[in-house]
Amino acid sequence: MLPTVTILRHAEKELGGGPPLGTDRAGRRGPGSRTVRGWTRAGARVELLWPRPGNSNAAVAATPSHLFAARVGETTSQSRRPRETLEPLSEHLRTPIDDRFLKSEID
């Protein structure tokens, strides 16, 4: 059986510094973080990819065995959204997020 690759786009960001604003996990304003809508969508993705115990309906899409997100750079991309988008799924699956690579290191 061939492996399945599912690609998720990171969740919403703030637009132009005005509302809606990006917030970090603790609720503090965080440039490079997701908006409230982005946090909500990331949580909803768990339902698509996580087979709930005791539910005869398995996950809608293939449940991932690996999670990858671009790492936040010190001098390059400051976006935390790729990792933040996967955090709810990572917690439910108990699967770590591999963020070894910067966005600029990925073709």
Side-chain angles (χ1 to χ4, degrees), residues 12-95:
E12 286 86 349
K13 65 179 178 179
E14 61 182 64
L15 301 173
L21 300 174
T23 59
D24 67 14
R25 194 172 190 135
R28 296 179 302 256
R29 174 123 195 268
S33 289
R34 299 176 293 177
T35 63
V36 171
R37 185 175 187 178
W39 283 98
T40 302
R41 285 187 190 227
R45 289 183 175 141
V46 171
E47 293 297 315
L48 295 174
L49 300 166
W50 178 52
R52 294 168 300 239
N55 184 352
S56 61
N57 297 324
V60 175
T63 299
S65 58
H66 297 79
L67 301 173
F68 298 92
R71 185 177 81 234
V72 176
E74 294 184 21
T75 59
T76 58
S77 175
Q78 297 295 305
S79 178
R80 292 173 177 78
R81 290 176 297 125
R83 182 177 183 84
E84 289 175 346
T85 298
L86 291 177
E87 285 175 347
L89 184 61
S90 172
E91 290 168 5
H92 278 84
L93 295 176
R94 294 187 177 105
T95 301

